[in-house]
Amino acid sequence: MALDIQTVPCLSDNYAYILRDAATGTVAIVDVPEAAPLIAALDARGLDLDMILLTHHHDDHIQGVEELRSKYGCKVIGGKADAHRLPTLDQAVEEGDTVTVGESEGHVLDVSGHTVGHIAFHFPDSDAVFSADSLMALGCGRLFEGDGPMMWASMQKFLNMPDSTIVYSGHEYTQSNAKFALSIEADNHDLIARAARIDEARQRNMPTVPSSLAEEKATNPFLRAHIASVKSAVGMPDATDAEVFTEVRNRKDNF
């Protein structure tokens, strides 16, 4: 059975996610930007909390952890490579490991780039990947600790997932990401249409996250660095995919 997934807005532009395994009632949260909205969402549904899954160490993803841990006695799971700068972990995981939310199995992926040691959780039976600040809606995280080739290697892991996968990322940055994407591929008709839908959604204060991986593959420049038309668009027709990705990321940083 698939996970029931609820998107919970936190802080000014973060998202956290409540995962409930239908078969067992087990509940997990992915990232804790702040505690209050998550406690309110759990209370509204009469849910307890069994575990927290952390993607990376930045404060806007972990600063509510201790409040939830003290309230619910939940277990905290995060990346082994990040353990020294995360809240105390009950379970440290790395790529190749699995986490179980009831009967739902999630695969841990190393998606370093935004930070070194950033992980994602892929639940293939639920067609869901929790990517936080690695792959984002129409974007990717700024490279604070990694470099272009490292992040491009992480992007490959998303490109290899089925198109039906839903991408649950960490922030509401999609509208500004769309403006940048159009500066790279102004004639991408899928992107033009998506940008219009995003503008309409934001006018109504509706979230643009999560997004489908099929849509990301068709419109997200950070997943398209291997495509000849994108290479030509940035004036690098003969460059490697990683070189083109790095150029696109540099352009976004200066956009």
Side-chain angles (χ1 to χ4, degrees):
M1 298 178 78
L3 290 166
D4 170 58
I5 301 167
Q6 179 182 356
T7 303
V8 182
C10 297
L11 301 175
S12 62
D13 58 22
N14 279 74
Y15 290 116
Y17 299 97
I18 298 173
L19 287 52
R20 182 179 179 276
D21 176 59
T24 62
T26 302
V27 177
I29 283 176
V30 179
D31 287 343
V32 190
E34 60 177 331
L38 290 160
I39 292 170
L42 291 167
D43 285 351
R45 296 171 62 190
L47 299 179
D48 201 357
L49 178 61
D50 299 291
M51 68 186 76
I52 295 169
L53 308 178
L54 298 176
T55 60
H56 67 297
H57 70 90
H58 284 160
D59 281 351
D60 63 334
H61 292 259
I62 65 171
Q63 59 196 10
V65 168
E66 296 306 343
E67 189 174 342
L68 293 189
R69 191 191 330 239
S70 64
K71 180 175 176 63
Y72 297 102
C74 51
K75 147 169 119 161
V76 180
I77 300 170
K80 189 177 289 185
D82 241 1
H84 62 291
R85 52 189 184 174
L86 289 171
T88 303
L89 298 177
D90 299 293
Q91 184 181 346
V93 295
E94 59 191 351
E95 180 159 283
D97 290 343
T98 57
V99 297
T100 52
V101 179
E103 293 181 2
S104 298
E105 186 174 84
H107 301 274
V108 178
L109 301 171
D110 181 337
V111 290
S112 291
H114 177 64
T115 64
V116 175
H118 192 308
I119 58 175
F121 299 95
H122 180 212
F123 289 83
D125 291 346
S126 297
D127 265 346
V129 64
F130 297 90
S131 59
D133 296 0
S134 55
L135 177 63
M136 305 174 91
L138 266 181
C140 75
R142 188 181 286 265
L143 305 182
F144 287 122
E145 297 175 11
D147 59 18
M150 178 187 285
M151 187 64 124
W152 178 243
S154 295
M155 294 297 105
Q156 303 305 299
K157 297 174 186 182
F158 298 109
L159 280 168
N160 288 333
M161 292 178 190
D163 286 1
S164 55
T165 306
I166 302 300
V167 180
Y168 295 86
S169 54
H171 289 274
E172 185 57 68
Y173 294 165
T174 321
Q175 195 167 33
S176 60
N177 287 345
K179 291 185 176 72
F180 171 72
L182 285 164
S183 78
I184 302 292
E185 289 193 276
D187 57 354
N188 179 329
H189 296 294
D190 291 329
L191 175 58
I192 293 164
R194 185 179 182 190
R197 292 194 301 273
I198 289 162
D199 287 342
E200 183 186 1
R202 295 311 293 156
Q203 280 175 358
R204 293 184 288 122
N205 204 30
M206 298 292 289
T208 63
V209 175
S211 57
S212 79
L213 189 57
E215 203 169 33
E216 297 304 332
K217 289 178 181 180
T219 57
N220 186 331
F222 298 103
L223 285 182
R224 294 171 59 78
H226 59 300
I227 293 172
S229 60
V230 174
K231 292 187 177 193
S232 295
V234 298
M236 300 174 69
D238 301 317
T240 67
D241 300 348
E243 287 168 345
V244 174
F245 174 87
T246 302
E247 171 64 15
V248 173
R249 184 62 251 180
N250 288 340
R251 289 189 183 198
K252 177 66 166 71
D253 292 342
N254 295 298
F255 185 68

